[in-house]
Amino acid sequence: MKPFDYLSPGDPAEAVRSVARNPAAVFLGGGTNLVDHLKLGIVAPDLVVHVADLLPATVEDLDGGGLRIGAGVSNSALAADPRVRERFPVLSQALLSGASGQLRNMATTGGNPLQRTRCAYFQDVTTPCNKREPGSGCSALGGWTRHHAILGASEHCVAVHPSDLAVALAALDARVRVLGPDGERTVPFTDLHRLPADTPERDTVLEHGDLVTAIDLPALPPARRSAYRKVRDRASYAFALVSVAAAVEVRGGVITDARVAFGGAAHVPWRARRAERVLRGAPATEESYRAAADAELADARPLEGLDGGNAFKIPLLRRTLAATLRELVGEDAR
């Protein structure tokens, strides 16, 4: 590991200034992603700025039933919060499906959605990777592709975003509060992450020195009937092959509102807006669920690879979306 300087500033503004003026500086929150990257040699900062103790670690009520989640709130605390479990169960379920209890105790609300891909080629510094070293190539193309993207990929990168929490936040119309060198601003969560295009090294729209301070959840009636379903290779401590976050309202057997996001499918937490449009106003039936999945996956582009590729993700996502909606709709479909 390359030696680096360590700074524990007095407030968030000082932390932002310290990182913004040093291109080789990084923020350290819970450290569950950054410390791995330091060990692997993926990053080698000159300065590490500790912010875990500076960020709000509280969940506050907003008008109408929304919540403001401080960026310092641990994943464990957020998953256990009674208001989250009642008003936004999809969020609690997503958090509990990720990592391990020990990691959830350390991981933060501000840092978890910013974690970088777990692509094996990105994590292996001996292989070319455009995300890690722009212009070097994408080793995943023609390589091991089982875990890679079927939506929104490019010739420069086919990696997927790993966060379960981020998929739920994308479905819930969350908004991200950011403190930067020029002051505070708010970013819609669905605008936070970037598709790879020809600059896959940029995961988000955040600029160097920007610090996430909180995430706001608006009051969202469908969120009370919401769920997260994750399909993975083993029962625990595994990243999603695919996942679905969904929230619905049903009246008289008709879906009046729907919010859907996919995980394990793209470089970003994928908001399934085509599927939502098909579902709204449709009868709560298997035919509607399949039609919604088909609409969203019409542009899916599976990859071939040494391991047989990832075309299986398309039917798997269809079944996962249908199973999630079936669970949520329940008796109201009759």
Side-chain angles (χ1 to χ4, degrees):
M1 187 184 299
K2 176 186 173 182
F4 54 80
D5 292 328
Y6 178 86
L7 177 67
S8 184
D11 56 52
E14 182 186 352
V16 166
R17 290 193 298 270
S18 299
V19 171
R21 63 179 173 234
N22 183 344
V26 295
F27 294 116
L28 172 66
T32 56
N33 196 210
L34 176 62
V35 173
D36 283 346
H37 289 176
L38 290 169
K39 293 176 180 177
L40 292 170
I42 296 171
V43 295
D46 293 337
L47 175 66
V48 172
V49 178
H50 185 249
V51 295
D53 298 333
L54 302 179
L55 299 171
T58 56
V59 180
E60 301 176 10
D61 286 293
L62 298 177
D63 291 343
L67 294 175
R68 175 164 295 164
I69 307 164
V73 175
S74 73
N75 286 185
S76 292
L78 185 60
D81 190 287
R83 293 163 293 179
V84 173
R85 294 167 66 91
E86 177 186 359
R87 301 177 206 170
F88 306 95
V90 62
L91 192 58
S92 181
Q93 292 171 21
L95 286 161
L96 292 174
S97 74
S100 64
Q102 295 94 329
L103 286 171
R104 291 194 295 269
N105 288 340
M106 291 296 297
T108 62
T109 299
N112 181 281
L114 302 182
Q115 64 183 292
R116 308 205 70 191
T117 184
R118 302 304 172 121
C119 172
Y121 299 106
F122 172 75
Q123 294 187 310
D124 181 355
V125 296
T126 68
T127 62
C129 171
N130 286 322
K131 181 175 283 294
R132 179 172 21 84
E133 186 179 349
S136 63
C138 177
S139 296
L141 293 174
W144 298 90
T145 58
R146 187 167 188 265
H147 289 272
H148 288 84
I150 58 172
L151 293 167
S154 77
E155 62 181 335
H156 301 284
C157 183
V158 295
V160 298
H161 192 272
S163 169
D164 296 294
L165 168 61
V167 182
L169 292 173
L172 294 173
D173 291 330
R175 298 183 66 84
V176 184
R177 299 175 66 85
V178 179
L179 177 63
D182 296 324
E184 294 182 305
R185 69 185 191 279
T186 303
V187 179
F189 192 85
T190 51
D191 293 340
L192 178 65
H193 298 90
R194 298 178 67 258
L195 290 174
D198 58 357
T199 54
E201 70 275 11
R202 290 197 62 198
D203 293 340
T204 72
V205 299
L206 298 181
E207 300 293 340
H208 186 70
D210 282 347
L211 178 64
V212 173
T213 59
I215 294 178
D216 289 351
L217 297 179
L220 192 67
R224 290 181 179 268
R225 180 180 293 196
S226 62
Y228 185 75
R229 186 176 293 263
K230 179 177 179 177
V231 182
R232 46 190 163 180
D233 284 328
R234 56 182 184 270
S236 66
Y237 201 60
F239 294 97
L241 290 171
V242 300
S243 66
V244 170
V248 296
E249 278 190 321
V250 181
R251 295 175 188 165
V254 175
I255 300 170
T256 58
D257 198 2
R259 312 297 171 98
V260 179
F262 292 163
H267 194 260
V268 302
W270 186 269
R271 181 69 179 263
R273 298 194 186 277
R274 289 183 181 177
E276 293 174 356
R277 288 194 290 270
V278 171
L279 289 169
R280 291 184 183 121
T285 63
E286 291 291 324
E287 290 75 16
S288 297
Y289 309 157
R290 286 195 293 268
D294 288 343
E296 194 62 48
L297 296 169
D299 293 336
R301 296 293 180 266
L303 300 164
E304 297 181 355
L306 299 174
D307 52 0
N310 65 358
F312 72 92
K313 285 192 174 187
I314 297 176
L316 184 58
L317 262 173
R318 286 194 185 105
R319 294 194 297 270
T320 304
L321 176 60
T324 307
L325 294 172
R326 196 183 309 123
E327 171 193 347
L328 290 173
V329 170
E331 295 293 325
D332 287 351
R334 300 179 182 178

